[in-house]
């Protein structure tokens, strides 16, 4: 059986008595290399830990405890815990003192071995004045030679050193300028072979926008040329068969609404960190200003952002505060797919018509058909705009006590959207135009509290954790639109989750179970309280520690989800429109109230089989069932 050597940090001797505290040590192999990922289990109190990268470990012990060490090759070794090795506090491990782990003797003894290099001491230890007759002593806390110490105390064989903690403040920052040119990816191929037209007397003839059709099929462009006449729809004249014009050959026009985009931004970033006594403080500040010429013509975007975070850490407590604000402005709103509609119009423009030659004809629009729109005319929209603003402040508190972690987080959010959307006058969608001014304001408060705790059993192969999470939210929304009602929505929710997670390992195999119970309360539902259970588990088998890995998992869960308080549900009414009417769709109508609507209920179950063989083969099979009820959709009219 392979033997392992155990080294312990600066052991101390004490009188025989019942003690409780911490035992620290190192695991090293016969060749002196650290032994990592070994399991150290206390047979008496059930505590368990693992050896780290340098073989170091710390575990809770009491007088008379026995430790069972299980190595990666599945061999085990038992050791007893002497009282003099039990520390009252968690040792502050510093790798720099590993070579000085042997007990240090009195001054007389050290004089005898002073010339022995194997007992060489660092300068900070050589300069200590030891009392004659002191046979053993221990260092408290463990000492890092690279640190400074301002006070030493010797009491009953224990030398206590008080570190010298210097106040410091570190500041650093950066200023970044970013400039970029952007291009569109490959666009869909468009037909550039045939001109606008129709068959006349069984022969394809060119006919211009006067024909008033949305889609047409005319002769090949290569068989046509311009006649040079004055023509409102083309500065080169009308198209005629080759040999009957002015010799100016016709070529297919490119009608893309895109261009090369440009982006410019400036970012100022500052970070600070300070140290005082046993506390640490830090902050981060970021300020951003950017301008972008979007890829689609005549559209710009401006963005401003400021974000600040600050933190305070002392012992096991961490407090973090944050504030961020950003604002954006776009030339056009795309909430109703306005820019998508413009791109679609460019795709159906025939190759014999040029949108770029002009978007106006007299007081109206110049387009290839009265039923279509010139994308450049639609982009020249002086009334369109979209503005958004978002501000959020948060405060977070975390505290850890041994195996238990608590947290308390809260945030306040304020947001606003202001836009004018629709279709400009003279468009194929509406001759008089469609213009809607929409204003949406939001104020939300969210509180989160919870914690996690580890549970130890007498069997070190079993590891469990309990999780608790509570979320309180108070949401407020106000939506106003021209020609529509003002919607005021408020929802208060309480969301409580308790979860028990456990894993069991044996040999090279593993099994896990996760039990959850969720309770949900909302003031907008007729059913005030909902209990939502869940169960998930898995079994993982690795036969004979070979490359084969088989995992079987299964689960069943029930969830509830309320309808959103912030969006219009007119999008659920798209079944009301015929294909020819979809271009005039503008999300406007919304439910007058959200009170009395049951949350959507989703119940799902699944079973999965996963097989892996090394890194070369993987097989997954899954059977899933999902059932949704209380979902909402808008019924068609007429």
């Amino acid at each position: 059986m392979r033997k392992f050597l155990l080294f312990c940090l600066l052991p101390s001797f004490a009188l025989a008595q019942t003690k409780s505290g911490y035992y620290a040590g190192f695991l090293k192999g016969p060749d002196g290399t650290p032994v990592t990922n070994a399991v150290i289990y206390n047979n008496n109190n059930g505590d368990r830990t693992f050896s780290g990268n340098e073989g170091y470990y710390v575990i809770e012990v009491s007088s008379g405890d026995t430790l069972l060490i299980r190595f990666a090759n599945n061999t085990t070794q038992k050791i007893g815990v002497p009282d003099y090795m039990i520390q009252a506090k968690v040792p502050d491990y510093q790798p720099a003192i590993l070579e000085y782990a042997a007990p240090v003797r009195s001054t007389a003894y050290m004089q005898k071995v002073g010339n022995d290099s194997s007992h060489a001491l660092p300068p900070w230890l050589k300069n200590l004045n030891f009392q004659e007759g002191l046979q053993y002593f221990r260092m408290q806390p463990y000492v890092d030679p690279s640190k400074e110490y301002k006070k030493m105390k010797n009491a009953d064989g224990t030398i206590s050193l008080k570190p010298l903690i210097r106040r410091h403040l570190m500041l650093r920052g950066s200023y970044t300028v970013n400039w970029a040119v952007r291009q569109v990816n490959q666009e869909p191929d468009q037909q550039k072979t045939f001109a606008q037209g129709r068959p006349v007397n069984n022969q394809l003839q060119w006919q211009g926008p006067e024909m008033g059709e949305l889609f047409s099929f005319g002769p090949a462009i290569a068989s046509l040329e311009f006649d040079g006449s004055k023509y409102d729809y083309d500065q080169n004249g009308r198209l005629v068969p080759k040999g009957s014009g002015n010799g100016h050959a016709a070529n297919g026009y490119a009608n893309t609404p895109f261009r090369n985009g440009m982006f410019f931004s400036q970012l100022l970033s500052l970070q600070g960190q300070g140290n005082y006594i046993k506390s640490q403080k830090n902050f981060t500040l970021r300020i951003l200003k950017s301008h972008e010429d979007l890829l689609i013509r005549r559209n710009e975007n401006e963005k401003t952002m400021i974000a600040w975070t600050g933190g305070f850490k002392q012992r096991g407590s961490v407090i973090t505060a944050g504030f961020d604000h950003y604002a954006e402005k776009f030339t056009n709103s795309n909430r109703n797919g306005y820019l998508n509609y413009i791109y679609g119009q460019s795709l159906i423009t025939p190759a014999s018509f040029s949108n770029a030659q002009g978007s106006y004809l007299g007081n109206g629009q110049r387009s290839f058909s009265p039923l279509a729109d010139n994308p450049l005319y639609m982009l020249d929209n002086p009334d369109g705009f979209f503005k958004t603003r978002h501000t959020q402040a948060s405060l977070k508190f975390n505290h850890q006590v041994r195996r238990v972690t608590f947290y308390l987080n809260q945030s306040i959010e304020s947001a606003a959207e202001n836009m004018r959307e629709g279709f400009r006058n003279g468009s194929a969608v509406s001759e008089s135009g469609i213009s809607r001014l929409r204003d949406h304001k939001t104020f939300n408060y969210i509180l989160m509290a919870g914690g996690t705790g580890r549970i130890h059993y007498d069997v070190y192969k079993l590891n469990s954790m309990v999780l608790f999470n509570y979320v309180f939210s108070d949401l407020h929304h106000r939506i106003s639109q021209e020609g529509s009602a003002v919607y005021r929505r408020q929802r208060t929710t309480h969301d409580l989750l308790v979860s028990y997670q456990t894993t069991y390992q044996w040999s090279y195999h593993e099994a896990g179970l996760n039990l959850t119970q969720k309770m949900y309360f909302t003031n907008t539902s007729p059913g005030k309280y909902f209990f939502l259970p869940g169960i998930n588990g898995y079994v993982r088998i690795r036969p004979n520690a070979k490359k084969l890995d088989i995992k079987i998992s299964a689960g069943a869960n029930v969830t509830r989800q309320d309808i959103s308080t912030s969006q219009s549900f007119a999008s659920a009414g798209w079944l009301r429109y015929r294909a020819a009417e979809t271009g005039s769709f503008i999300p406007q109508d919304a439910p007058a109230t959200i009170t009395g609507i049951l949350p959507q209920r989703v119940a799902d179950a699944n079973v999965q089989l996963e097989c892996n063989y090394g890194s070369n083969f993987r097989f997954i099979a899954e059977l899933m069932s999902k059932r949704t009820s209380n979902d909402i959709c808008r019924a068609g009219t007429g």
Side-chain angles (χ1 to χ4, degrees):
M1 181 181 74
R2 187 181 180 186
K3 300 294 184 180
F4 294 87
L5 304 179
L6 285 79
F7 295 84
C8 302
L9 279 178
L10 296 175
S12 60
F13 293 85
L15 297 177
Q17 56 182 336
T18 301
K19 297 178 63 177
S20 295
Y22 300 89
Y23 178 87
F26 291 87
L27 295 179
K28 292 189 177 181
D31 57 356
T33 59
V35 177
T36 62
N37 297 322
V39 180
I40 298 90
Y41 175 70
N42 190 326
N43 280 331
N44 297 78
N45 64 13
D47 200 7
R48 179 177 67 168
T49 188
F50 299 86
S51 58
N53 292 334
E54 298 181 1
Y56 178 75
Y57 65 92
V58 177
I59 191 169
E60 291 188 30
V61 295
S62 298
S63 299
D65 284 357
T66 301
L67 301 182
L68 175 65
I69 303 176
R70 187 183 189 91
F71 301 96
N73 61 3
N74 217 25
T75 60
T76 58
Q77 184 175 346
K78 289 185 178 181
I79 61 171
V81 180
D83 282 359
Y84 67 85
M85 290 177 139
I86 300 176
Q87 306 296 314
K89 297 181 180 180
V90 176
D92 184 13
Y93 158 56
Q94 298 291 343
I97 64 169
L98 299 187
E99 58 182 308
Y100 313 118
V104 180
R105 306 287 180 169
S106 66
T107 304
Y109 177 80
M110 296 309 303
Q111 291 175 350
K112 295 179 181 180
V113 299
N115 297 324
D116 187 346
S117 60
S118 63
H119 292 80
L121 298 175
W124 60 266
L125 193 54
K126 285 183 178 180
N127 296 332
L128 295 180
N129 296 319
F130 301 108
Q131 299 175 359
E132 288 293 340
L134 177 63
Q135 297 301 314
Y136 302 99
F137 71 87
R138 61 176 177 172
M139 305 301 299
Q140 190 178 25
Y142 297 114
V143 183
D144 182 356
S146 64
K147 291 184 177 180
E148 298 179 277
Y149 298 87
K150 66 178 183 180
K151 186 176 181 181
M152 182 183 73
K153 181 180 180 182
N154 182 8
D156 299 328
T158 297
I159 294 180
S160 299
L161 296 178
K162 189 173 183 179
L164 175 62
I165 301 177
R166 299 183 181 274
R167 304 178 186 180
H168 76 270
L169 176 64
M170 179 186 68
L171 294 175
R172 62 181 178 180
S174 63
Y175 175 72
T176 305
V177 176
N178 185 16
W179 182 80
V181 178
R182 298 173 178 174
Q183 292 181 320
V184 296
N185 292 326
Q186 182 70 34
E187 294 185 60
D189 288 334
Q190 303 176 44
Q191 78 84 13
K192 299 180 180 178
T193 304
F194 299 98
Q196 189 175 11
R198 67 173 64 177
V200 177
N201 297 327
N202 295 325
Q203 290 187 351
L204 293 175
Q205 293 186 6
W206 170 84
Q207 295 189 27
E210 301 92 342
M211 66 187 300
E213 293 185 1
L214 191 60
F215 299 100
S216 62
F217 185 78
I221 293 179
S223 66
L224 303 173
E225 63 183 27
F226 293 103
D227 64 359
S229 63
K230 184 179 180 181
Y231 183 49
D232 291 335
Y233 293 99
D234 200 306
Q235 60 190 15
N236 297 305
R238 296 175 179 270
L239 289 174
V240 296
K242 268 192 174 181
S244 60
N246 61 4
H248 183 180
N251 295 308
Y253 292 111
N255 286 295
T256 176
F258 298 113
R259 63 178 175 182
N260 290 335
M262 297 184 65
F263 175 82
F264 178 78
S265 69
Q266 303 175 80
L267 173 64
L268 175 64
S269 179
L270 297 174
Q271 296 92 35
Q273 183 177 2
N275 186 38
Y276 178 72
I277 310 299
K278 295 182 179 181
S279 64
Q280 296 179 0
K281 306 172 184 65
N282 61 81
F283 77 91
T284 301
L285 176 65
R286 300 175 73 241
I287 302 175
L288 172 71
K289 178 72 175 179
S290 68
H291 176 87
E292 182 178 12
D293 294 331
L294 300 179
L295 291 171
I296 193 164
R297 300 175 187 272
R298 303 177 186 175
N299 275 267
E300 299 178 351
N301 171 29
E302 292 185 354
K303 182 176 182 178
T304 303
M305 182 202 72
I306 178 170
W308 174 87
T309 58
F312 175 84
K313 180 179 181 180
Q314 186 169 12
R315 296 184 182 275
S317 300
V318 179
I319 299 176
T320 305
F323 172 84
D324 65 83
H325 170 83
Y326 77 83
E328 280 189 284
K329 180 181 179 181
F330 290 85
T331 305
N332 287 289
S333 167
N334 197 41
R335 196 176 70 100
N336 65 326
Y338 183 71
L339 299 179
N340 301 71
Y341 171 81
I342 291 173
Y343 179 50
Q345 293 297 297
S346 71
L347 292 177
I348 65 174
T349 302
S352 58
F353 183 86
S354 172
N355 289 321
Q357 286 188 14
S359 54
Y360 290 87
L361 186 60
N363 295 326
Q365 176 183 192
R366 175 186 170 275
S367 64
F368 75 90
S369 170
L371 301 177
D373 286 310
N374 187 322
L376 301 182
Y377 177 83
M378 300 298 290
L379 288 172
D380 186 15
N381 184 19
D383 295 330
F385 69 90
F386 176 84
K387 298 178 182 179
T388 181
R389 170 190 59 78
H390 180 271
T391 304
Q392 185 173 22
S394 63
L395 181 64
K396 302 178 181 180
F397 172 77
N398 289 68
H399 185 71
Q400 183 173 359
V401 181
R402 299 179 66 178
R403 303 187 188 98
V404 181
T405 302
F406 305 94
Y407 65 89
L408 177 66
N409 305 335
Q410 54 183 334
S411 66
I412 298 176
E413 176 190 24
S414 174
E417 286 184 353
N418 185 251
M419 69 191 75
R420 182 172 289 278
E421 57 189 3
F423 293 85
R424 62 168 304 183
N425 61 322
S427 67
V429 173
S430 173
E431 180 64 30
S432 59
I434 302 175
S435 179
R436 296 287 186 270
L437 185 63
R438 184 176 188 269
D439 187 71
H440 181 189
K441 290 182 172 59
T442 300
F443 181 83
N444 298 328
Y445 173 76
I446 297 177
L447 173 68
M448 300 177 61
T452 59
R454 293 173 53 194
I455 303 176
H456 288 265
Y457 301 96
D458 292 337
V459 181
Y460 75 93
K461 299 178 180 179
L462 185 63
N463 190 21
S464 300
M465 182 175 68
V466 175
L467 181 146
F468 165 81
N469 186 55
Y470 168 75
V471 180
F472 166 79
S473 62
D474 186 19
L475 313 178
H476 298 261
H477 294 272
R478 181 186 182 277
I479 305 173
S480 62
Q481 300 178 116
E482 284 184 337
S484 181
V486 176
Y487 303 102
R488 290 181 174 86
R489 299 170 178 170
Q490 186 275 333
R491 173 180 290 134
T492 300
T493 64
H494 300 267
D495 199 339
L496 176 64
L497 172 68
V498 179
S499 174
Y500 173 78
Q501 303 172 11
T502 184
T503 59
Y504 181 77
Q505 298 176 341
W506 73 99
S507 185
Y508 297 97
H509 315 307
E510 183 180 2
L513 179 66
N514 183 13
L515 302 175
T516 61
Q517 177 60 60
K518 184 176 181 181
M519 186 177 72
Y520 180 71
F521 164 81
T522 174
N523 67 330
T524 59
S525 172
K528 299 299 182 181
Y529 295 93
F530 302 95
F531 293 90
L532 310 170
I535 179 171
N536 296 272
Y538 70 92
V539 175
R540 193 166 202 161
I541 302 173
R542 302 180 181 93
N544 301 322
K546 300 295 183 182
K547 294 182 178 180
L548 181 61
D549 188 330
I550 302 173
K551 181 180 179 181
I552 302 174
S553 57
N557 299 275
V558 180
T559 59
R560 289 275 186 174
Q561 182 177 358
D562 277 304
I563 64 173
S564 173
T565 59
S566 62
Q567 71 183 49
S568 167
F569 291 91
S571 56
W574 59 271
L575 293 174
R576 299 172 54 195
Y577 299 96
R578 295 190 296 270
E581 298 175 335
T582 54
S584 61
F585 168 65
I586 296 179
Q588 180 175 350
D589 297 332
T593 179
I594 58 174
T595 303
I597 301 177
L598 282 171
Q600 180 190 74
R601 183 181 187 273
V602 178
D604 64 83
N606 68 86
V607 178
Q608 185 183 82
L609 170 65
E610 178 180 349
C611 298
N612 294 278
Y613 190 82
S615 59
N616 301 321
F617 175 80
R618 188 180 188 185
F619 172 80
I620 298 178
E622 183 176 10
L623 179 64
M624 182 185 70
S625 173
K626 185 174 183 178
R627 183 174 181 179
T628 303
S629 56
N630 299 328
D631 200 2
I632 66 168
C633 64
R634 181 170 179 172
T637 60

